[in-house]
Amino acid sequence: MTVDEIKIKFSHGLTPYPEALEFMEKRVEDIGKGHADELIWFVEHPPLYTAGTSAKENDLLTPKRFPVYDAGRGGQYTYHGPGQRVVYVMLDLKKRGKDVRKFVANLEQWIIDTLLEFNVIGERREGRVGVWVKRNDTEDKIAAIGVRVRKWVTFHGISINLEPDLSHYAGIIPCGISEHGVTSLVDLGLPITMADLDAALQKTWPKIFNQSLI
């Protein structure tokens, strides 16, 4: 397999977060040693909160609502749960110019291009990581990004809200931003399935990363 091809993995059902962390830790180590292929991993999690390396204690409003995990990724608090597509991206940046900033920008563009497949305009905002959509006079977050890089191998990745229970975000200040809300594709009135979203993500990946998913 060449850098022009990358493996894709789907986990069905709800993947426990500790299991996902353990898998990524091992895979990243093996990729770094040249013992495993790079991987794009599609999962859903049970309801939980994760804390990034910049998380502030006061942003966890109801700590007993769901399990809380130290993710080790960049960013602050976020929510994961059913109806949200999480994609963990494990790539070797030594093959891609060792440019972390470009990698994050590519993840953002991947989300934006994927949303456009459903005629949703996703936008970046200076000082606010993630992808946002305008709704009348407000802006809501529809996708989050949180990554970690170890010895130039990436892990963690993105999450896109398809149809999660948006009330679950009330237990945190998502990504430390209290003045804006959260939304989802279904909340925007789009009757999209997870299979539809996955197909769009697979379609738009090659244009951004110049790779085929296999």
Side-chain angles (χ1 to χ4, degrees):
M1 189 167 62
T2 71
V3 74
D4 296 326
E5 299 175 329
I6 187 165
K7 287 193 173 181
I8 186 170
K9 169 184 169 73
F10 288 90
S11 288
H12 301 290
L14 301 179
T15 301
Y17 196 73
E19 180 181 310
L21 283 180
E22 183 180 0
F23 178 91
M24 284 192 288
E25 290 278 352
K26 181 66 165 62
R27 187 70 176 222
V28 164
E29 180 181 356
D30 288 346
I31 291 170
K33 293 178 179 178
H35 297 163
D37 295 322
E38 298 172 306
L39 186 68
I40 310 299
W41 185 23
F42 287 61
V43 304
E44 278 183 271
H45 290 303
L48 58 92
Y49 299 129
T50 67
T53 54
S54 302
K56 300 174 182 177
E57 185 177 351
N58 291 340
D59 288 347
L60 181 60
L61 305 178
T62 55
K64 296 183 179 180
R65 186 169 188 170
F66 296 124
V68 181
Y69 297 98
D70 183 359
R73 54 158 175 79
Q76 302 185 42
Y77 281 105
T78 195
Y79 166 76
H80 292 315
Q84 181 192 72
R85 175 50 87 203
V86 176
V87 188
Y88 293 127
V89 181
M90 289 160 268
L91 298 182
D92 187 350
L93 294 187
K94 294 191 297 293
K95 302 176 181 178
R96 295 167 176 81
K98 297 183 177 180
D99 192 334
V100 177
R101 187 182 299 270
K102 180 180 178 181
F103 169 66
V104 173
N106 283 344
L107 291 179
E108 289 177 332
Q109 194 61 50
W110 185 32
I111 295 168
I112 290 168
D113 287 3
T114 297
L115 294 175
L116 197 57
E117 291 289 307
F118 306 108
N119 296 314
V120 173
I121 306 299
E123 301 181 31
R124 297 177 173 91
R125 287 292 178 267
E126 188 70 29
R128 285 192 255 142
V129 177
V131 176
W132 302 77
V133 294
K134 292 180 180 177
R135 303 184 70 184
N136 300 318
D137 295 328
T138 66
E139 290 183 346
D140 291 339
K141 191 171 190 175
I142 196 168
I145 298 172
V147 301
R148 187 172 181 180
V149 180
R150 179 180 296 155
K151 297 181 179 178
W152 296 110
V153 180
T154 71
F155 54 127
H156 298 279
I158 70 169
S159 61
I160 301 177
N161 288 341
L162 174 69
E163 192 180 11
D165 186 336
L166 296 177
S167 71
H168 290 172
Y169 281 92
I172 57 172
I173 298 178
C175 302
I177 300 169
S178 58
E179 62 269 28
H180 298 284
V182 291
T183 190
S184 69
L185 287 164
V186 171
D187 186 49
L188 293 174
L190 299 169
I192 295 167
T193 68
M194 191 66 78
D196 295 331
L197 179 56
D198 289 346
L201 284 162
Q202 292 174 82
K203 176 183 177 181
T204 54
W205 172 275
K207 183 175 71 172
I208 305 301
F209 291 91
N210 298 314
Q211 294 172 304
S212 299
L213 296 174
I214 61 172

